[in-house]
Amino acid sequence: MIGVGKMKLYSNVLDKPLSKGKQEVSLSAFAFLFSELVQYNQTQVDNIAELERRLEDAGYAVGARVLELLCNREKGNRRETRLLGILSFVHSTVWKVLFGKVADSLEKGTEHEDEYMISEKELLVNRFISIPKDMGTFNCGAFVAGIVKGVLDNAGFPAVVTAHFVPIEGQQRPRTTILIKFADEVLKREARLSQ
Amino acid sequence: MANTACFIIVGRNDIPIYEAEVGSAPKREDAAQLHQFILHAALDVVQDLAWTTSAMFLKSVDRFNDLVVSVYVTAGHILFSSFFRQNYLYSNGIKSFFQEVHELYIKVLLNPLYLPGSRITSSHFDTKVRALARKYL
């Protein structure tokens, strides 16, 4: 029988310590799991917008948990109350824990006050995925956009987060940009707190 | 000796996701309504207070007769709220209690089948919270 020799140390997950554990997960395992996730959702939907929304919802659940866990582990129980604080938290801490490196860049949008962009040369989740021409602008980075949305929403900064391909001259594969557009109440509160 | 009366975890939409009577305070008939009333009155104060500081433990946010409300806010804006008799407030036991319950809550949250914001029904969680309450309060 499988596992018959192992001694069960904890009877319930609540007794287990919340330690860091193994920090690395096999990339191939994740790539297979993610491709299966995308394929499963493809069979369930009729159009691309719906597929993006489903991937985003999957990421949202992850984001909610990542926020609580990382604030407890990495930041010693200090919350983020300011916009720039939470953005740099996402850009460095979250990216480092999830993808092993900080995001390539964090920029403020020039056209609108409430837009910010996190750019990455190539998203880890997109590394083994190619998009057929007839799917147009679909981007599996919608999963990562969902993660960011989950983190921001639960921290009290509601936002619309989307993933886009941005073609760069001189490079074969386009850069991926996560566009974050904050809701009005966030800006109002930020202005109030800055005084 | 001062005792706590009630411990409540409130989710994001002001919906309680967990309630427990801890401590050996004498039970009153209208205890349930009283606790809800005190809690909701304190919520508004906490919403504003939470944005002014980046600490998680907000010591005492509101008063009701001789009960003092103490609140702990997590990163996801989940509120752990507890009511105390006056003279018990200034001790580290409360902060440690909240921190331990915070860790328990994170473990519950990490369950992918747990919908964030829904009631915590695990009896094991309940047992552990009461054990922590006996230990720290």
Side-chain angles (χ1 to χ4, degrees), chain A residues 22-87:
Chain A
K22 269 197 339 202
Q23 300 207 307
E24 290 177 354
V25 172
S26 149
L27 177 62
S28 339
F30 172 72
F32 272 124
L33 182 62
F34 188 65
S35 87
E36 213 31 63
L37 179 74
V38 176
Q39 284 175 52
Y40 171 74
N41 283 318
Q42 263 183 315
T43 64
Q44 306 264 316
V45 304
D46 302 321
N47 57 47
I48 298 202
E50 188 65 23
L51 181 57
E52 271 196 0
R53 211 184 56 81
R54 278 186 174 236
L55 282 183
E56 224 183 82
D57 287 343
Y60 188 92
V62 175
R65 291 160 169 87
V66 152
L67 170 70
E68 283 274 1
L69 186 62
L70 289 187
C71 273
N72 191 17
R73 261 191 209 164
E74 312 270 338
K75 287 164 43 82
N77 287 336
R78 301 205 72 75
R79 292 177 294 115
E80 288 295 340
T81 48
R82 306 305 301 268
L83 192 73
L84 283 182
I86 191 77
L87 277 177

Short mmCIF file of all heavy atoms in Angstrom, two decimals, chain A residues 22-87:
data_model
loop_
_atom_site.label_atom_id
_atom_site.label_comp_id
_atom_site.label_asym_id
_atom_site.label_seq_id
_atom_site.Cartn_x
_atom_site.Cartn_y
_atom_site.Cartn_z
N LYS A 22 9.38 24.31 1.35
CA LYS A 22 10.22 24.29 0.15
C LYS A 22 9.83 25.47 -0.70
O LYS A 22 8.68 25.61 -1.08
CB LYS A 22 9.98 22.99 -0.63
CG LYS A 22 10.91 21.92 -0.19
CD LYS A 22 11.04 20.75 -1.14
CE LYS A 22 9.96 20.50 -2.13
NZ LYS A 22 9.98 19.10 -2.56
N GLN A 23 10.79 26.30 -1.06
CA GLN A 23 10.40 27.51 -1.74
C GLN A 23 10.29 27.33 -3.23
O GLN A 23 9.84 28.22 -3.91
CB GLN A 23 11.43 28.59 -1.45
CG GLN A 23 11.50 28.83 0.04
CD GLN A 23 11.94 30.23 0.33
OE1 GLN A 23 12.96 30.65 -0.17
NE2 GLN A 23 11.16 30.94 1.09
N GLU A 24 10.71 26.19 -3.74
CA GLU A 24 10.70 26.05 -5.20
C GLU A 24 9.74 24.97 -5.61
O GLU A 24 9.61 23.93 -4.97
CB GLU A 24 12.10 25.70 -5.68
CG GLU A 24 13.02 26.87 -5.52
CD GLU A 24 14.43 26.52 -5.94
OE1 GLU A 24 14.66 25.33 -6.22
OE2 GLU A 24 15.26 27.40 -5.96
N VAL A 25 9.08 25.23 -6.74
CA VAL A 25 8.15 24.26 -7.31
C VAL A 25 8.66 23.95 -8.71
O VAL A 25 9.17 24.83 -9.39
CB VAL A 25 6.73 24.85 -7.37
CG1 VAL A 25 5.80 23.93 -8.11
CG2 VAL A 25 6.22 25.10 -5.97
N SER A 26 8.51 22.74 -9.17
CA SER A 26 9.00 22.39 -10.49
C SER A 26 8.29 23.20 -11.56
O SER A 26 7.06 23.28 -11.59
CB SER A 26 8.76 20.89 -10.71
OG SER A 26 8.53 20.63 -12.05
N LEU A 27 9.06 23.82 -12.46
CA LEU A 27 8.47 24.66 -13.51
C LEU A 27 7.63 23.81 -14.45
O LEU A 27 6.56 24.22 -14.90
CB LEU A 27 9.59 25.36 -14.28
CG LEU A 27 9.13 26.21 -15.46
CD1 LEU A 27 8.23 27.33 -14.99
CD2 LEU A 27 10.32 26.79 -16.19
N SER A 28 8.13 22.61 -14.77
CA SER A 28 7.39 21.74 -15.69
C SER A 28 6.04 21.37 -15.10
O SER A 28 5.02 21.37 -15.79
CB SER A 28 8.16 20.46 -15.97
OG SER A 28 9.50 20.63 -15.70
N ALA A 29 6.05 21.07 -13.80
CA ALA A 29 4.78 20.70 -13.16
C ALA A 29 3.80 21.86 -13.26
O ALA A 29 2.63 21.67 -13.60
CB ALA A 29 5.02 20.34 -11.70
N PHE A 30 4.30 23.07 -12.97
CA PHE A 30 3.41 24.22 -13.06
C PHE A 30 2.93 24.44 -14.49
O PHE A 30 1.76 24.73 -14.73
CB PHE A 30 4.10 25.49 -12.55
CG PHE A 30 3.29 26.72 -12.80
CD1 PHE A 30 2.14 26.96 -12.06
CD2 PHE A 30 3.62 27.61 -13.80
CE1 PHE A 30 1.36 28.08 -12.31
CE2 PHE A 30 2.85 28.72 -14.06
CZ PHE A 30 1.71 28.96 -13.30
N ALA A 31 3.87 24.30 -15.47
CA ALA A 31 3.49 24.54 -16.86
C ALA A 31 2.39 23.57 -17.30
O ALA A 31 1.42 23.96 -17.97
CB ALA A 31 4.71 24.42 -17.77
N PHE A 32 2.52 22.31 -16.90
CA PHE A 32 1.50 21.33 -17.24
C PHE A 32 0.16 21.69 -16.61
O PHE A 32 -0.89 21.65 -17.24
CB PHE A 32 1.90 19.93 -16.75
CG PHE A 32 2.73 19.17 -17.74
CD1 PHE A 32 3.97 18.67 -17.40
CD2 PHE A 32 2.26 18.95 -19.03
CE1 PHE A 32 4.74 17.98 -18.32
CE2 PHE A 32 3.02 18.25 -19.95
CZ PHE A 32 4.27 17.76 -19.59
N LEU A 33 0.23 22.03 -15.31
CA LEU A 33 -1.00 22.35 -14.60
C LEU A 33 -1.68 23.56 -15.23
O LEU A 33 -2.89 23.56 -15.45
CB LEU A 33 -0.67 22.64 -13.13
CG LEU A 33 -1.87 22.94 -12.24
CD1 LEU A 33 -2.81 21.77 -12.18
CD2 LEU A 33 -1.39 23.29 -10.83
N PHE A 34 -0.87 24.59 -15.55
CA PHE A 34 -1.45 25.80 -16.11
C PHE A 34 -2.04 25.54 -17.49
O PHE A 34 -3.12 26.03 -17.82
CB PHE A 34 -0.40 26.91 -16.18
CG PHE A 34 -0.96 28.23 -16.56
CD1 PHE A 34 -1.85 28.89 -15.74
CD2 PHE A 34 -0.61 28.84 -17.75
CE1 PHE A 34 -2.38 30.12 -16.09
CE2 PHE A 34 -1.13 30.06 -18.11
CZ PHE A 34 -2.01 30.71 -17.29
N SER A 35 -1.34 24.75 -18.30
CA SER A 35 -1.86 24.48 -19.64
C SER A 35 -3.17 23.70 -19.54
O SER A 35 -4.12 23.92 -20.29
CB SER A 35 -0.84 23.73 -20.49
OG SER A 35 -0.96 22.35 -20.28
N GLU A 36 -3.24 22.80 -18.57
CA GLU A 36 -4.47 22.05 -18.35
C GLU A 36 -5.60 22.97 -17.93
O GLU A 36 -6.74 22.84 -18.36
CB GLU A 36 -4.20 21.00 -17.28
CG GLU A 36 -4.94 19.68 -17.39
CD GLU A 36 -5.24 19.24 -18.80
OE1 GLU A 36 -4.31 18.99 -19.58
OE2 GLU A 36 -6.44 19.16 -19.12
N LEU A 37 -5.27 23.95 -17.08
CA LEU A 37 -6.26 24.93 -16.62
C LEU A 37 -6.83 25.69 -17.80
O LEU A 37 -8.05 25.86 -17.93
CB LEU A 37 -5.60 25.87 -15.61
CG LEU A 37 -6.46 26.99 -15.02
CD1 LEU A 37 -7.42 26.43 -14.02
CD2 LEU A 37 -5.58 28.02 -14.35
N VAL A 38 -5.92 26.16 -18.68
CA VAL A 38 -6.37 26.95 -19.83
C VAL A 38 -7.21 26.08 -20.76
O VAL A 38 -8.28 26.49 -21.23
CB VAL A 38 -5.16 27.52 -20.60
CG1 VAL A 38 -5.62 28.25 -21.83
CG2 VAL A 38 -4.38 28.48 -19.70
N GLN A 39 -6.75 24.85 -21.01
CA GLN A 39 -7.50 24.00 -21.93
C GLN A 39 -8.87 23.66 -21.38
O GLN A 39 -9.85 23.63 -22.11
CB GLN A 39 -6.73 22.70 -22.17
CG GLN A 39 -5.55 22.87 -23.10
CD GLN A 39 -4.76 21.60 -23.22
OE1 GLN A 39 -5.33 20.55 -23.50
NE2 GLN A 39 -3.47 21.67 -23.00
N TYR A 40 -8.95 23.40 -20.08
CA TYR A 40 -10.23 23.08 -19.47
C TYR A 40 -11.19 24.25 -19.64
O TYR A 40 -12.35 24.08 -20.02
CB TYR A 40 -10.05 22.75 -17.99
CG TYR A 40 -11.35 22.62 -17.25
CD1 TYR A 40 -12.16 21.51 -17.41
CD2 TYR A 40 -11.79 23.62 -16.38
CE1 TYR A 40 -13.36 21.38 -16.74
CE2 TYR A 40 -12.99 23.50 -15.71
CZ TYR A 40 -13.77 22.39 -15.89
OH TYR A 40 -14.97 22.28 -15.22
N ASN A 41 -10.68 25.46 -19.37
CA ASN A 41 -11.56 26.62 -19.50
C ASN A 41 -11.96 26.87 -20.94
O ASN A 41 -13.05 27.35 -21.21
CB ASN A 41 -10.88 27.86 -18.90
CG ASN A 41 -10.95 27.84 -17.39
OD1 ASN A 41 -11.96 27.51 -16.83
ND2 ASN A 41 -9.86 28.18 -16.75
N GLN A 42 -11.07 26.52 -21.88
CA GLN A 42 -11.41 26.73 -23.28
C GLN A 42 -12.63 25.92 -23.69
O GLN A 42 -13.42 26.34 -24.53
CB GLN A 42 -10.24 26.31 -24.17
CG GLN A 42 -9.37 27.46 -24.59
CD GLN A 42 -8.29 27.00 -25.53
OE1 GLN A 42 -7.65 25.98 -25.29
NE2 GLN A 42 -8.10 27.71 -26.60
N THR A 43 -12.78 24.72 -23.07
CA THR A 43 -13.92 23.89 -23.45
C THR A 43 -15.21 24.42 -22.85
O THR A 43 -16.29 24.03 -23.25
CB THR A 43 -13.72 22.45 -22.97
OG1 THR A 43 -13.69 22.45 -21.54
CG2 THR A 43 -12.45 21.87 -23.50
N GLN A 44 -15.10 25.29 -21.83
CA GLN A 44 -16.30 25.69 -21.13
C GLN A 44 -16.89 26.99 -21.64
O GLN A 44 -17.97 27.38 -21.25
CB GLN A 44 -15.97 25.92 -19.64
CG GLN A 44 -15.31 24.75 -18.98
CD GLN A 44 -16.31 23.91 -18.26
OE1 GLN A 44 -17.16 24.42 -17.58
NE2 GLN A 44 -16.23 22.62 -18.43
N VAL A 45 -16.12 27.74 -22.47
CA VAL A 45 -16.58 29.08 -22.83
C VAL A 45 -16.75 29.19 -24.33
O VAL A 45 -16.25 28.37 -25.09
CB VAL A 45 -15.57 30.16 -22.37
CG1 VAL A 45 -15.33 30.06 -20.90
CG2 VAL A 45 -14.28 30.02 -23.12
N ASP A 46 -17.48 30.25 -24.74
CA ASP A 46 -17.72 30.45 -26.17
C ASP A 46 -16.82 31.50 -26.77
O ASP A 46 -16.61 31.52 -27.97
CB ASP A 46 -19.18 30.92 -26.40
CG ASP A 46 -20.14 29.91 -25.84
OD1 ASP A 46 -19.87 28.72 -25.98
OD2 ASP A 46 -21.17 30.33 -25.28
N ASN A 47 -16.36 32.44 -25.94
CA ASN A 47 -15.58 33.52 -26.54
C ASN A 47 -14.38 33.85 -25.67
O ASN A 47 -14.22 33.35 -24.56
CB ASN A 47 -16.45 34.76 -26.74
CG ASN A 47 -17.06 35.21 -25.44
OD1 ASN A 47 -16.40 35.30 -24.41
ND2 ASN A 47 -18.36 35.48 -25.46
N ILE A 48 -13.54 34.72 -26.21
CA ILE A 48 -12.25 35.00 -25.57
C ILE A 48 -12.39 35.80 -24.30
O ILE A 48 -11.68 35.57 -23.33
CB ILE A 48 -11.35 35.73 -26.57
CG1 ILE A 48 -11.13 34.83 -27.75
CG2 ILE A 48 -10.07 36.14 -25.92
CD1 ILE A 48 -9.94 35.13 -28.54
N ALA A 49 -13.34 36.74 -24.30
CA ALA A 49 -13.49 37.60 -23.11
C ALA A 49 -13.84 36.75 -21.90
O ALA A 49 -13.34 36.96 -20.79
CB ALA A 49 -14.57 38.64 -23.37
N GLU A 50 -14.69 35.76 -22.13
CA GLU A 50 -15.10 34.88 -21.04
C GLU A 50 -13.91 34.06 -20.54
O GLU A 50 -13.74 33.86 -19.33
CB GLU A 50 -16.20 33.94 -21.57
CG GLU A 50 -16.89 33.08 -20.55
CD GLU A 50 -17.68 33.86 -19.52
OE1 GLU A 50 -18.08 35.00 -19.80
OE2 GLU A 50 -17.86 33.34 -18.42
N LEU A 51 -13.06 33.62 -21.48
CA LEU A 51 -11.89 32.84 -21.09
C LEU A 51 -10.95 33.69 -20.24
O LEU A 51 -10.42 33.23 -19.22
CB LEU A 51 -11.18 32.34 -22.35
CG LEU A 51 -9.94 31.49 -22.17
CD1 LEU A 51 -10.25 30.27 -21.35
CD2 LEU A 51 -9.39 31.06 -23.53
N GLU A 52 -10.76 34.95 -20.66
CA GLU A 52 -9.89 35.84 -19.88
C GLU A 52 -10.46 36.05 -18.50
O GLU A 52 -9.76 36.07 -17.49
CB GLU A 52 -9.75 37.19 -20.60
CG GLU A 52 -8.61 37.20 -21.55
CD GLU A 52 -8.19 38.57 -21.99
OE1 GLU A 52 -8.79 39.57 -21.55
OE2 GLU A 52 -7.25 38.64 -22.77
N ARG A 53 -11.80 36.20 -18.42
CA ARG A 53 -12.42 36.45 -17.12
C ARG A 53 -12.23 35.25 -16.20
O ARG A 53 -11.99 35.39 -15.01
CB ARG A 53 -13.90 36.75 -17.32
CG ARG A 53 -14.43 37.71 -16.27
CD ARG A 53 -15.92 37.92 -16.45
NE ARG A 53 -16.65 36.67 -16.42
CZ ARG A 53 -16.99 36.06 -15.30
NH1 ARG A 53 -16.65 36.55 -14.14
NH2 ARG A 53 -17.64 34.92 -15.35
N ARG A 54 -12.32 34.04 -16.76
CA ARG A 54 -12.17 32.85 -15.91
C ARG A 54 -10.75 32.73 -15.38
O ARG A 54 -10.54 32.36 -14.23
CB ARG A 54 -12.51 31.60 -16.72
CG ARG A 54 -13.99 31.39 -16.76
CD ARG A 54 -14.30 30.09 -17.43
NE ARG A 54 -15.70 29.83 -17.35
CZ ARG A 54 -16.22 28.74 -16.83
NH1 ARG A 54 -15.43 27.81 -16.36
NH2 ARG A 54 -17.52 28.56 -16.81
N LEU A 55 -9.77 33.03 -16.27
CA LEU A 55 -8.38 32.97 -15.80
C LEU A 55 -8.16 34.01 -14.72
O LEU A 55 -7.47 33.77 -13.73
CB LEU A 55 -7.43 33.21 -16.97
CG LEU A 55 -7.20 32.04 -17.91
CD1 LEU A 55 -6.18 32.40 -18.96
CD2 LEU A 55 -6.72 30.82 -17.14
N GLU A 56 -8.78 35.17 -14.91
CA GLU A 56 -8.64 36.23 -13.91
C GLU A 56 -9.23 35.81 -12.58
O GLU A 56 -8.67 36.06 -11.52
CB GLU A 56 -9.39 37.47 -14.42
CG GLU A 56 -8.62 38.74 -14.22
CD GLU A 56 -9.42 39.93 -14.67
OE1 GLU A 56 -10.25 40.39 -13.88
OE2 GLU A 56 -9.20 40.37 -15.80
N ASP A 57 -10.39 35.15 -12.61
CA ASP A 57 -11.00 34.69 -11.36
C ASP A 57 -10.12 33.68 -10.66
O ASP A 57 -10.01 33.69 -9.44
CB ASP A 57 -12.37 34.06 -11.65
CG ASP A 57 -13.40 35.10 -12.01
OD1 ASP A 57 -13.14 36.28 -11.72
OD2 ASP A 57 -14.44 34.74 -12.58
N ALA A 58 -9.50 32.80 -11.46
CA ALA A 58 -8.60 31.82 -10.84
C ALA A 58 -7.45 32.53 -10.15
O ALA A 58 -7.06 32.18 -9.04
CB ALA A 58 -8.08 30.86 -11.90
N GLY A 59 -6.91 33.58 -10.82
CA GLY A 59 -5.81 34.32 -10.22
C GLY A 59 -6.24 35.12 -9.00
O GLY A 59 -5.47 35.29 -8.05
N TYR A 60 -7.48 35.60 -9.00
CA TYR A 60 -7.99 36.41 -7.88
C TYR A 60 -7.93 35.62 -6.58
O TYR A 60 -7.51 36.14 -5.54
CB TYR A 60 -9.43 36.81 -8.19
CG TYR A 60 -10.01 37.79 -7.20
CD1 TYR A 60 -9.92 39.15 -7.43
CD2 TYR A 60 -10.63 37.36 -6.04
CE1 TYR A 60 -10.45 40.07 -6.54
CE2 TYR A 60 -11.15 38.26 -5.14
CZ TYR A 60 -11.06 39.61 -5.40
OH TYR A 60 -11.58 40.51 -4.50
N ALA A 61 -8.34 34.34 -6.65
CA ALA A 61 -8.31 33.51 -5.44
C ALA A 61 -6.88 33.39 -4.91
O ALA A 61 -6.64 33.43 -3.70
CB ALA A 61 -8.87 32.13 -5.75
N VAL A 62 -5.93 33.25 -5.83
CA VAL A 62 -4.53 33.14 -5.41
C VAL A 62 -4.07 34.45 -4.77
O VAL A 62 -3.42 34.46 -3.73
CB VAL A 62 -3.63 32.82 -6.62
CG1 VAL A 62 -2.17 32.83 -6.22
CG2 VAL A 62 -4.00 31.48 -7.21
N GLY A 63 -4.44 35.57 -5.41
CA GLY A 63 -4.00 36.88 -4.91
C GLY A 63 -4.47 37.14 -3.49
O GLY A 63 -3.72 37.65 -2.66
N ALA A 64 -5.74 36.78 -3.21
CA ALA A 64 -6.27 37.03 -1.87
C ALA A 64 -5.42 36.31 -0.82
O ALA A 64 -5.11 36.85 0.24
CB ALA A 64 -7.72 36.55 -1.80
N ARG A 65 -5.03 35.09 -1.11
CA ARG A 65 -4.28 34.32 -0.13
C ARG A 65 -2.84 34.78 -0.03
O ARG A 65 -2.25 34.84 1.04
CB ARG A 65 -4.34 32.84 -0.50
CG ARG A 65 -5.72 32.28 -0.31
CD ARG A 65 -5.96 31.01 -1.10
NE ARG A 65 -7.20 30.39 -0.68
CZ ARG A 65 -8.39 30.68 -1.17
NH1 ARG A 65 -8.49 31.54 -2.14
NH2 ARG A 65 -9.46 30.09 -0.71
N VAL A 66 -2.27 35.13 -1.19
CA VAL A 66 -0.88 35.56 -1.22
C VAL A 66 -0.69 36.82 -0.38
O VAL A 66 0.29 36.97 0.34
CB VAL A 66 -0.44 35.79 -2.69
CG1 VAL A 66 0.64 36.82 -2.78
CG2 VAL A 66 0.01 34.50 -3.30
N LEU A 67 -1.68 37.73 -0.45
CA LEU A 67 -1.58 38.98 0.31
C LEU A 67 -1.45 38.71 1.79
O LEU A 67 -0.52 39.17 2.46
CB LEU A 67 -2.82 39.84 0.04
CG LEU A 67 -2.97 41.05 0.93
CD1 LEU A 67 -1.94 42.07 0.61
CD2 LEU A 67 -4.36 41.65 0.78
N GLU A 68 -2.38 37.93 2.34
CA GLU A 68 -2.35 37.65 3.78
C GLU A 68 -1.08 36.92 4.18
O GLU A 68 -0.43 37.25 5.16
CB GLU A 68 -3.57 36.79 4.15
CG GLU A 68 -4.86 37.54 4.22
CD GLU A 68 -5.09 38.17 5.58
OE1 GLU A 68 -4.24 38.02 6.47
OE2 GLU A 68 -6.13 38.81 5.74
N LEU A 69 -0.73 35.92 3.39
CA LEU A 69 0.42 35.09 3.75
C LEU A 69 1.71 35.89 3.74
O LEU A 69 2.52 35.82 4.66
CB LEU A 69 0.52 33.92 2.76
CG LEU A 69 1.58 32.89 3.09
CD1 LEU A 69 1.26 32.24 4.40
CD2 LEU A 69 1.64 31.85 1.98
N LEU A 70 1.90 36.70 2.69
CA LEU A 70 3.15 37.44 2.58
C LEU A 70 3.25 38.55 3.61
O LEU A 70 4.32 38.84 4.12
CB LEU A 70 3.32 38.00 1.17
CG LEU A 70 3.59 36.93 0.13
CD1 LEU A 70 3.91 37.56 -1.20
CD2 LEU A 70 4.72 36.05 0.56
N CYS A 71 2.12 39.19 3.91
CA CYS A 71 2.19 40.25 4.92
C CYS A 71 2.58 39.65 6.26
O CYS A 71 3.28 40.26 7.06
CB CYS A 71 0.84 40.97 5.04
SG CYS A 71 0.71 42.30 3.88
N ASN A 72 2.14 38.43 6.50
CA ASN A 72 2.50 37.81 7.76
C ASN A 72 3.95 37.36 7.76
O ASN A 72 4.69 37.59 8.71
CB ASN A 72 1.59 36.59 7.98
CG ASN A 72 1.72 36.05 9.38
OD1 ASN A 72 2.23 36.72 10.27
ND2 ASN A 72 1.28 34.84 9.58
N ARG A 73 4.38 36.70 6.66
CA ARG A 73 5.73 36.15 6.62
C ARG A 73 6.79 37.21 6.44
O ARG A 73 7.77 37.28 7.17
CB ARG A 73 5.84 35.21 5.42
CG ARG A 73 5.68 33.79 5.75
CD ARG A 73 6.08 33.00 4.55
NE ARG A 73 5.38 31.76 4.50
CZ ARG A 73 5.30 31.00 3.43
NH1 ARG A 73 5.82 31.41 2.31
NH2 ARG A 73 4.67 29.86 3.48
N GLU A 74 6.63 38.01 5.38
CA GLU A 74 7.73 38.86 4.97
C GLU A 74 7.74 40.19 5.70
O GLU A 74 8.78 40.77 5.95
CB GLU A 74 7.63 39.15 3.47
CG GLU A 74 7.40 37.92 2.65
CD GLU A 74 8.71 37.30 2.23
OE1 GLU A 74 9.70 38.02 2.22
OE2 GLU A 74 8.73 36.10 1.93
N LYS A 75 6.57 40.71 6.00
CA LYS A 75 6.57 42.08 6.47
C LYS A 75 6.28 42.19 7.96
O LYS A 75 6.06 43.28 8.45
CB LYS A 75 5.55 42.90 5.68
CG LYS A 75 6.04 43.16 4.30
CD LYS A 75 4.93 43.62 3.37
CE LYS A 75 4.02 44.64 4.00
NZ LYS A 75 4.57 45.99 3.94
N GLY A 76 6.31 41.09 8.66
CA GLY A 76 6.15 41.16 10.11
C GLY A 76 4.91 41.88 10.55
O GLY A 76 4.92 42.71 11.43
N ASN A 77 3.79 41.59 9.90
CA ASN A 77 2.51 42.15 10.33
C ASN A 77 2.44 43.65 10.26
O ASN A 77 2.03 44.32 11.20
CB ASN A 77 2.19 41.68 11.76
CG ASN A 77 1.78 40.23 11.75
OD1 ASN A 77 1.32 39.71 10.76
ND2 ASN A 77 1.98 39.59 12.87
N ARG A 78 2.85 44.22 9.16
CA ARG A 78 2.59 45.63 8.93
C ARG A 78 1.77 45.72 7.65
O ARG A 78 2.11 45.11 6.65
CB ARG A 78 3.90 46.40 8.78
CG ARG A 78 4.77 46.26 9.99
CD ARG A 78 5.73 47.42 10.15
NE ARG A 78 5.10 48.66 10.54
CZ ARG A 78 4.66 48.93 11.76
NH1 ARG A 78 4.74 48.06 12.71
NH2 ARG A 78 4.12 50.11 12.02
N ARG A 79 0.69 46.48 7.70
CA ARG A 79 -0.17 46.57 6.51
C ARG A 79 0.27 47.70 5.61
O ARG A 79 0.97 48.61 6.05
CB ARG A 79 -1.62 46.85 6.94
CG ARG A 79 -2.27 45.72 7.68
CD ARG A 79 -3.66 46.11 8.11
NE ARG A 79 -3.63 47.18 9.08
CZ ARG A 79 -4.12 48.39 8.87
NH1 ARG A 79 -4.67 48.68 7.73
NH2 ARG A 79 -4.05 49.30 9.80
N GLU A 80 -0.18 47.67 4.38
CA GLU A 80 0.10 48.77 3.47
C GLU A 80 -1.12 49.67 3.41
O GLU A 80 -2.21 49.20 3.15
CB GLU A 80 0.38 48.24 2.07
CG GLU A 80 1.71 47.55 1.93
CD GLU A 80 2.85 48.53 2.12
OE1 GLU A 80 2.61 49.74 2.00
OE2 GLU A 80 3.97 48.09 2.41
N THR A 81 -0.92 50.96 3.65
CA THR A 81 -2.06 51.86 3.60
C THR A 81 -1.94 52.86 2.45
O THR A 81 -2.91 53.52 2.13
CB THR A 81 -2.18 52.67 4.90
OG1 THR A 81 -0.91 53.20 5.21
CG2 THR A 81 -2.65 51.79 6.03
N ARG A 82 -0.78 52.96 1.82
CA ARG A 82 -0.61 53.94 0.76
C ARG A 82 -0.48 53.24 -0.58
O ARG A 82 -0.02 52.12 -0.69
CB ARG A 82 0.64 54.80 1.01
CG ARG A 82 0.66 55.45 2.37
CD ARG A 82 -0.58 56.28 2.61
NE ARG A 82 -0.75 57.32 1.62
CZ ARG A 82 -0.27 58.55 1.76
NH1 ARG A 82 0.41 58.88 2.83
NH2 ARG A 82 -0.48 59.44 0.82
N LEU A 83 -0.85 53.98 -1.64
CA LEU A 83 -0.89 53.44 -2.99
C LEU A 83 0.49 52.96 -3.45
O LEU A 83 0.65 51.84 -3.90
CB LEU A 83 -1.37 54.55 -3.92
CG LEU A 83 -1.73 54.10 -5.31
CD1 LEU A 83 -3.01 53.35 -5.27
CD2 LEU A 83 -1.86 55.29 -6.23
N LEU A 84 1.49 53.84 -3.30
CA LEU A 84 2.83 53.47 -3.75
C LEU A 84 3.36 52.29 -2.95
O LEU A 84 4.07 51.44 -3.48
CB LEU A 84 3.78 54.66 -3.61
CG LEU A 84 3.62 55.71 -4.71
CD1 LEU A 84 4.62 56.81 -4.52
CD2 LEU A 84 3.79 55.06 -6.06
N GLY A 85 2.95 52.24 -1.68
CA GLY A 85 3.39 51.14 -0.83
C GLY A 85 2.89 49.81 -1.34
O GLY A 85 3.65 48.85 -1.48
N ILE A 86 1.60 49.77 -1.65
CA ILE A 86 1.04 48.48 -2.08
C ILE A 86 1.56 48.13 -3.47
O ILE A 86 1.81 46.96 -3.78
CB ILE A 86 -0.51 48.50 -2.04
CG1 ILE A 86 -1.08 47.11 -2.23
CG2 ILE A 86 -1.11 49.37 -3.10
CD1 ILE A 86 -0.99 46.26 -1.03
N LEU A 87 1.80 49.13 -4.33
CA LEU A 87 2.31 48.83 -5.66
C LEU A 87 3.71 48.27 -5.58
O LEU A 87 4.04 47.32 -6.28
CB LEU A 87 2.30 50.09 -6.53
CG LEU A 87 0.95 50.41 -7.17
CD1 LEU A 87 1.04 51.70 -7.94
CD2 LEU A 87 0.54 49.30 -8.10
#
